[in-house]
Short mmCIF file of all heavy atoms in Angstrom, two decimals:
data_model
loop_
_atom_site.label_atom_id
_atom_site.label_comp_id
_atom_site.label_asym_id
_atom_site.label_seq_id
_atom_site.Cartn_x
_atom_site.Cartn_y
_atom_site.Cartn_z
N ASN B 5 17.57 39.98 -35.40
CA ASN B 5 16.29 40.19 -34.87
C ASN B 5 15.37 39.26 -35.61
O ASN B 5 14.67 39.49 -36.51
CB ASN B 5 15.87 41.62 -35.13
CG ASN B 5 15.44 42.25 -33.83
OD1 ASN B 5 15.23 41.61 -32.89
ND2 ASN B 5 15.45 43.61 -33.85
N TYR B 13 17.56 47.11 -24.06
CA TYR B 13 18.97 47.32 -23.86
C TYR B 13 19.14 47.01 -22.42
O TYR B 13 18.32 47.25 -21.60
CB TYR B 13 19.36 48.77 -24.14
CG TYR B 13 19.23 49.10 -25.60
CD1 TYR B 13 18.15 49.65 -26.18
CD2 TYR B 13 20.36 48.87 -26.47
CE1 TYR B 13 18.12 49.96 -27.50
CE2 TYR B 13 20.24 49.13 -27.80
CZ TYR B 13 19.21 49.55 -28.32
OH TYR B 13 19.10 49.85 -29.63
N ILE B 20 19.12 43.24 -25.54
CA ILE B 20 18.51 41.94 -25.05
C ILE B 20 17.35 41.62 -25.90
O ILE B 20 16.38 42.46 -25.96
CB ILE B 20 18.05 42.13 -23.54
CG1 ILE B 20 19.36 42.41 -22.64
CG2 ILE B 20 17.50 40.88 -23.12
CD1 ILE B 20 18.93 42.71 -21.26
N LEU B 27 10.21 33.61 -21.42
CA LEU B 27 10.11 32.11 -21.75
C LEU B 27 9.21 31.97 -22.93
O LEU B 27 8.42 32.76 -23.26
CB LEU B 27 9.41 31.46 -20.46
CG LEU B 27 10.30 31.42 -19.21
CD1 LEU B 27 9.45 30.81 -18.04
CD2 LEU B 27 11.54 30.62 -19.38
N VAL B 32 4.54 28.64 -22.34
CA VAL B 32 3.60 29.35 -21.40
C VAL B 32 2.13 29.06 -21.70
O VAL B 32 1.38 28.66 -20.83
CB VAL B 32 3.84 30.82 -21.54
CG1 VAL B 32 2.73 31.63 -20.88
CG2 VAL B 32 5.16 31.27 -20.95
N GLY B 33 1.90 29.10 -23.05
CA GLY B 33 0.46 28.73 -23.49
C GLY B 33 0.12 27.32 -23.17
O GLY B 33 -1.09 27.05 -22.73
N PRO B 41 -10.16 25.35 -17.95
CA PRO B 41 -11.29 24.43 -18.39
C PRO B 41 -11.15 24.23 -19.92
O PRO B 41 -10.62 24.98 -20.65
CB PRO B 41 -12.51 25.11 -18.08
CG PRO B 41 -12.22 26.39 -17.34
CD PRO B 41 -10.74 26.47 -17.23
N THR B 53 1.13 38.68 -21.90
CA THR B 53 1.23 39.30 -20.48
C THR B 53 1.76 38.15 -19.53
O THR B 53 2.59 38.50 -18.70
CB THR B 53 -0.16 39.82 -20.01
OG1 THR B 53 -0.63 40.69 -20.99
CG2 THR B 53 -0.07 40.38 -18.68
N ILE B 62 10.59 35.17 -11.92
CA ILE B 62 11.96 34.69 -11.96
C ILE B 62 12.93 35.72 -11.47
O ILE B 62 13.77 35.44 -10.62
CB ILE B 62 12.35 34.17 -13.38
CG1 ILE B 62 11.55 32.96 -13.77
CG2 ILE B 62 13.85 33.86 -13.42
CD1 ILE B 62 11.75 32.51 -15.25
N ARG B 74 24.84 37.73 -1.41
CA ARG B 74 25.73 38.84 -1.35
C ARG B 74 26.10 39.17 0.04
O ARG B 74 27.21 39.35 0.42
CB ARG B 74 25.14 40.01 -2.17
CG ARG B 74 26.13 41.09 -2.43
CD ARG B 74 25.49 42.31 -3.01
NE ARG B 74 24.48 42.96 -2.12
CZ ARG B 74 24.87 43.72 -1.09
NH1 ARG B 74 26.02 43.96 -0.88
NH2 ARG B 74 23.88 44.22 -0.38
N LYS B 75 25.08 39.20 0.84
CA LYS B 75 25.21 39.53 2.30
C LYS B 75 26.10 38.60 2.94
O LYS B 75 26.88 38.85 3.88
CB LYS B 75 23.92 39.71 2.99
CG LYS B 75 23.08 40.85 2.55
CD LYS B 75 21.86 41.11 3.56
CE LYS B 75 21.16 42.46 3.09
NZ LYS B 75 19.74 42.22 3.20
N GLU B 76 25.95 37.27 2.56
CA GLU B 76 26.62 36.22 3.21
C GLU B 76 27.91 35.99 2.49
O GLU B 76 28.64 34.98 2.73
CB GLU B 76 25.78 34.96 3.33
CG GLU B 76 24.51 35.20 4.20
CD GLU B 76 23.55 34.01 4.21
OE1 GLU B 76 23.95 32.97 3.56
OE2 GLU B 76 22.56 34.18 4.63
N ALA B 91 9.81 31.77 0.42
CA ALA B 91 9.20 32.02 1.70
C ALA B 91 9.12 33.49 2.16
O ALA B 91 8.09 34.04 2.47
CB ALA B 91 9.88 31.23 2.81
N TYR B 105 10.11 18.33 -4.48
CA TYR B 105 10.83 18.31 -5.82
C TYR B 105 12.30 18.26 -5.67
O TYR B 105 13.01 17.44 -6.32
CB TYR B 105 10.40 19.61 -6.59
CG TYR B 105 9.15 19.51 -7.33
CD1 TYR B 105 8.19 20.44 -7.16
CD2 TYR B 105 8.95 18.60 -8.38
CE1 TYR B 105 7.02 20.40 -7.83
CE2 TYR B 105 7.83 18.58 -9.11
CZ TYR B 105 6.76 19.46 -8.89
OH TYR B 105 5.58 19.35 -9.46
N LEU B 106 12.81 19.00 -4.71
CA LEU B 106 14.22 19.05 -4.53
C LEU B 106 14.74 17.62 -4.10
O LEU B 106 15.81 17.01 -4.57
CB LEU B 106 14.57 20.05 -3.40
CG LEU B 106 16.02 20.30 -3.24
CD1 LEU B 106 16.67 20.84 -4.49
CD2 LEU B 106 16.20 21.40 -2.11
N GLU B 113 19.55 12.82 -9.43
CA GLU B 113 20.85 13.31 -9.76
C GLU B 113 21.89 12.43 -9.34
O GLU B 113 22.85 12.14 -10.02
CB GLU B 113 21.13 14.71 -9.02
CG GLU B 113 20.56 15.94 -9.81
CD GLU B 113 21.21 16.07 -11.14
OE1 GLU B 113 22.34 16.46 -11.18
OE2 GLU B 113 20.54 15.85 -12.19
N PRO B 118 27.22 10.16 -10.70
CA PRO B 118 27.79 9.77 -9.45
C PRO B 118 28.92 10.78 -8.90
O PRO B 118 29.24 10.76 -7.75
CB PRO B 118 28.41 8.37 -9.69
CG PRO B 118 28.52 8.30 -11.22
CD PRO B 118 27.49 9.20 -11.79
N HIS B 122 26.83 17.29 -5.09
CA HIS B 122 25.79 17.50 -4.03
C HIS B 122 26.11 16.33 -2.97
O HIS B 122 26.30 15.14 -3.36
CB HIS B 122 24.39 17.22 -4.64
CG HIS B 122 24.25 18.22 -5.72
ND1 HIS B 122 24.22 19.62 -5.57
CD2 HIS B 122 23.94 18.04 -7.02
CE1 HIS B 122 23.93 20.20 -6.61
NE2 HIS B 122 23.83 19.27 -7.58
#
Side-chain angles (χ1 to χ4, degrees):
Chain B
N5 239 340
Y13 294 91
I20 301 176
L27 292 176
V32 170
T53 301
I62 292 172
R74 195 186 62 80
K75 287 193 181 137
E76 296 173 9
Y105 274 121
L106 190 55
E113 277 297 290
H122 304 298

